[in-house]
Amino acid sequence: MRISELAREAGTTPRALRYYEEQGLLRPARLASGYRHYDPQAVGTVRHIQLLLSAGLNTSAIAEILPCIPDGVTVLAPTCPELLDALAVERARITTSIDRLAAARDVLDRLIQAGPAAGDQS
Amino acid sequence: MRISELAREAGTTPRALRYYEEQGLLRPARLASGYRHYDPQAVGTVRHIQLLLSAGLNTSAIAEILPCIPDGVTVLAPTCPELLDALAVERARITTSIDRLAAARDVLDRLIQAGPAAGDQS
DNA sequence: CTAAACCTTTACGTTGACGTGAAGGTCAAG
DNA sequence: CTTGACCTTCACGTCAACGTAAAGGTTTAG
């Protein structure tokens, strides 16, 4: 598939896909015309990239992880133990982040709770 | 208290506190010398600011919320219903964000699971 | 054949929450 | 009275993941 089609399928833009390639996250084949050619597995890969990006991982961290998900679905064992350490660090960061988000949501909930009660006639 | 002390208490920097003021989040008094003077309640306020910032709210959104937490602890009912709508929107954003983080953490967990099992002798 | 709709590379622009000097006042201790 | 540790206001720098525009090649439908 071509770049625009992959972008549609994965819910992103051609520019983002070129950026991912520049960062070493994707390695599309090239047609004689110079056009990039992606196989269908790339859809899952791109979705993983977006998910991990939205979780706060940067492209270099994702670049280390992606080889362990070669077809966008299967999960292989990480090669080096250093990667495992890095994974643990990122996992901890995510957990901390979730806790903070939950705490912030609690603050908003208290405000929302206090809100509609104003002038409550019941 | 002065700006450096507040920064220490709240775990941030003087620069950040000046930035918060610039964005209308803090309104410290001024001494004759021109020095900023913060009351102790500011510690709680700053902590709230940091929490909401880390949850992805921007300074203008926080500026609308802060008046409902005047002393850094008490929670008042929001004045206008538009603010309540905005709060609901932010709350939804946070929940979505939490879900994505949890999904990303699951991916990492699967990798970590697959990792130590390699060469497992048990 | 030609025009639309793709694609390519190159390269500068954007965003928000600060970091990091620079140049200069203020204040307590010795 | 001076030195060091504060403080002040500019004002430019940073960072990552793209957005956006420019200048040009490719492909395909009519």
Side-chain angles (χ1 to χ4, degrees):
Chain A
M1 61 197 325
R2 306 206 296 203
I3 195 168
S4 284
E5 188 181 351
L6 174 57
R8 270 197 311 275
E9 298 280 326
T12 182
T13 67
R15 174 67 176 103
L17 297 179
R18 294 194 191 99
Y19 176 71
Y20 297 159
E21 180 180 357
E22 183 187 328
Q23 299 297 306
L25 307 183
L26 295 175
R27 302 190 182 278
R30 292 294 180 134
L31 302 180
S33 60
Y35 285 21
R36 290 170 177 83
H37 177 75
Y38 300 88
D39 44 48
Q41 311 165 347
V43 178
T45 302
V46 171
R47 291 208 176 117
H48 271 95
I49 293 172
Q50 304 261 60
L51 181 64
L52 294 173
L53 277 176
S54 74
L57 282 76
N58 57 32
T59 54
S60 80
I62 298 175
E64 297 177 1
I65 291 175
L66 277 188
C68 299
I69 315 174
D71 59 359
V73 178
T74 310
V75 170
L76 300 181
T79 321
C80 54
E82 303 149 357
L83 176 54
L84 270 172
D85 291 354
L87 290 177
V89 171
E90 296 290 359
R91 205 208 108 99
R93 237 187 21 71
I94 290 176
T95 296
T96 300
S97 191
I98 289 177
D99 290 346
R100 263 205 280 268
L101 284 167
R105 189 172 54 178
D106 284 350
V107 172
L108 297 189
D109 281 342
R110 263 172 265 152
L111 288 168
I112 293 171
Q113 275 290 332
D120 189 353
Q121 299 291 330
S122 69
Chain B
M1 62 198 324
R2 306 206 295 200
I3 195 167
S4 284
E5 188 181 352
L6 174 57
R8 270 196 312 274
E9 298 280 325
T12 183
T13 68
R15 175 65 175 104
L17 298 179
R18 294 193 192 100
Y19 175 70
Y20 298 158
E21 179 180 357
E22 183 187 327
Q23 299 297 307
L25 307 184
L26 296 174
R27 304 192 180 275
R30 295 291 184 138
L31 302 180
S33 59
Y35 286 21
R36 291 171 176 81
H37 177 76
Y38 300 89
D39 44 50
Q41 312 165 346
V43 178
T45 301
V46 172
R47 291 207 174 117
H48 272 95
I49 293 172
Q50 305 261 59
L51 180 64
L52 294 173
L53 278 177
S54 74
L57 282 78
N58 56 33
T59 55
S60 79
I62 298 175
E64 297 177 1
I65 291 175
L66 277 186
C68 299
I69 314 175
D71 60 359
V73 178
T74 310
V75 170
L76 299 183
T79 320
C80 54
E82 302 149 359
L83 177 53
L84 270 175
D85 291 354
L87 289 177
V89 170
E90 296 289 0
R91 205 209 107 99
R93 237 186 22 72
I94 291 176
T95 296
T96 300
S97 190
I98 289 177
D99 290 347
R100 265 206 278 270
L101 284 167
R105 187 172 57 180
D106 284 350
V107 171
L108 298 189
D109 281 342
R110 264 173 266 152
L111 288 168
I112 293 171
Q113 275 292 330
D120 189 353
Q121 300 290 329
S122 70

